[in-house]
Amino acid sequence: MQLIQETPDLSAYLAADEVVDHHHPLVRETAAKLARGVANSYEYAQAAFEFVRDTIPHSQDSGDLRVTWRASDVLEQRTGICYAKAHALAALLRAEDIPTALCYQKLDVVHGLIAVRFNGAWHRQDPRGNKPGVDAQFSLDGERLAFTPDPATGETDCPVLYAAPHPVVLDTLKAAGDRLHLWRTLPTAL
């Protein structure tokens, strides 16, 4: 699949905003801790990916009812669904000047992940969190995502690389009072 930048300006994929708030002290502190002891940007990106994937439980898996959407809140509260975890990973990567896009798959509902830019190419990564039947890994040598869309059932990969969260996703997160409400209102299309 050919990934398509929403904007040709690569600096947009380094920007901070209210969601990917990599200027926030907790994001900066977490990024600094992860950067210690790594030799290069690739190792840092893998460490950040594994940190978000493995230490921030997916709220559906853990049963946590809180809904987070801002990267710093995800890091502070240690919970989030796929979109929120993608926002946290994007913030940690952008904090270390690694261009990062938000991207989506249309499964039975819209699923959120990120793409990271290395060596002149975008590489999708899925920090959702592993569980039986889900084994997402950081890779620049072919995708190791949590899910593979099934075109026979109408599932697809969305090729657009967004610099900011898609408004449909963000509005859904912001409107949800708890995860149970969120689960009833997850977007099925962008």
Side-chain angles (χ1 to χ4, degrees):
M1 174 183 64
Q2 175 89 19
L3 297 173
I4 303 163
Q5 286 181 212
E6 174 188 35
T7 176
D9 182 4
L10 200 55
S11 68
Y13 299 96
L14 292 167
D17 59 28
E18 74 167 330
V19 178
V20 182
D21 58 343
H22 64 76
H23 57 277
H24 189 279
L26 180 56
V27 176
R28 303 303 287 180
E29 177 185 317
T30 304
K33 286 179 185 174
L34 291 168
R36 287 189 202 116
V38 298
N40 54 46
S41 295
Y42 172 80
E43 286 183 14
Y44 173 81
Q46 183 170 359
F49 169 84
E50 290 172 354
F51 173 81
V52 172
R53 182 195 64 191
D54 298 342
T55 70
I56 300 171
H58 188 285
S59 57
Q60 176 69 15
D61 296 347
S62 68
D64 197 319
L65 294 177
R66 296 173 292 169
V67 176
T68 54
W69 52 269
R70 183 179 289 115
S72 57
D73 292 340
V74 174
L75 295 175
E76 179 184 13
Q77 296 180 37
R78 293 281 208 241
T79 190
I81 68 165
C82 59
Y83 313 128
K85 292 182 68 162
H87 300 163
L89 180 55
L92 290 171
L93 294 171
R94 290 180 184 185
E96 291 294 314
D97 295 322
I98 299 171
T100 307
L102 298 163
C103 45
Y104 303 93
Q105 295 175 314
K106 191 234 173 265
L107 306 172
D108 54 337
V109 295
V110 174
H111 174 63
L113 51 155
I114 64 108
V116 62
R117 189 164 176 89
F118 276 107
N119 302 322
W122 289 100
H123 307 272
R124 293 189 309 164
Q125 312 295 328
D126 192 342
R128 181 228 179 269
N130 290 338
K131 63 179 186 173
V134 175
D135 183 30
Q137 301 295 324
F138 184 84
S139 175
L140 302 181
D141 299 320
E143 294 185 336
R144 301 273 313 271
L145 305 177
F147 306 108
T148 302
D150 179 3
T153 63
E155 295 180 345
T156 60
D157 281 309
C158 303
V160 178
L161 300 171
Y162 295 92
H166 193 285
V168 169
V169 168
L170 190 55
D171 290 347
T172 301
L173 287 169
K174 286 181 171 183
D178 62 27
R179 187 184 40 78
L180 298 176
H181 175 261
L182 177 63
W183 232 243
R184 291 188 305 271
T185 60
L186 286 174
T188 57
L190 296 176

